[in-house]
Amino acid sequence: MSAGQKSRLAKNLRWRISAWARHSGVSAIALLCVGVAAAQATGIAPTLSATSWSSTLRRADAGSRSPHSSLRLRGGGYSLGLRDSIMIAHSFKGEEFGPAQGMHGATYTVDVEFHVKELEPRLNWVLDIGEGMSVLKKVLAEYNLKNLDELFPSENTTTEFMCKKIYDGLADQLQGKVTGEVTVKLWESHNAWASYHGGLGKACDIC
């Protein structure tokens, strides 16, 4: 392996350690140990200076301890997931979208996951599953079997955009009923998806 290849691998490894710590809540020190072992195993350890590792550790540790990290990312708490689906038609504006500029249909699998720190007293649930499904179906009915170009004429109704719209609908319907956080994930296929994560009620203060 050339020196240039080792350097690129080292930089990639440092970036991954920082990202893992920020998004998993795992101790940055623990991940750093894994990184050092991996670096030694692949023979790239000599290309990583003490300053580089120290900088990686500081960034990763700061990310893993961020006061703005969510319940979902900090660890702990409970989650409840619900699933439904919608069929839509739309088109996109901009040559970047290629053939998708033409009208086409899509079927989204919609996964919604509610996150709370503590269960409801006595009931020991995140929320009533029946009520949750009813609310989800009500929100999705606004888009199911609809032409999104007519609902949002000035927008590119990408999967990411629709995740936020569904989240907004859920947050509105559940205002005052559920506190915590929610993740809305839309699957375009078995290997492509997008998601939006935000707070519900009082939990917005910690999002």
Side-chain angles (χ1 to χ4, degrees), residues 2 29 35 38 53 63 75 108 112 121 123 131 157-158 172 188 193 206:
S2 69
I29 294 176
W53 282 115
Y108 290 122
V112 176
L123 298 171
E131 180 179 7
T157 52
T158 59
D172 180 64
E188 293 190 25
W193 68 90
I206 61 172

Side-chain angles (χ1 to χ4, degrees), residues 124-145:
N124 283 339
W125 65 25
V126 174
L127 80 162
D128 184 323
I129 293 178
E131 180 179 7
M133 283 301 302
S134 294
V135 169
L136 177 58
K137 287 182 178 297
K138 181 178 181 180
V139 171
L140 295 183
E142 298 182 35
Y143 312 114
N144 192 32
L145 302 177

Side-chain angles (χ1 to χ4, degrees), residues 55-115:
S55 174
T56 298
L57 176 58
R58 286 197 302 272
R59 290 197 304 271
D61 192 47
S64 66
R65 294 184 290 104
S66 170
H68 301 294
S69 58
S70 69
L71 286 170
R72 180 179 61 122
L73 300 184
R74 284 202 305 269
Y78 301 86
S79 296
L80 174 71
L82 303 175
R83 173 171 287 185
D84 207 332
S85 63
I86 56 174
M87 299 174 65
I88 58 92
H90 62 174
S91 63
F92 295 130
K93 309 169 186 67
E95 60 182 16
E96 296 89 346
F97 291 99
Q101 293 175 85
M103 182 64 67
H104 60 281
T107 299
Y108 290 122
T109 296
V110 183
D111 283 339
V112 176
E113 190 170 359
F114 297 93
H115 314 277

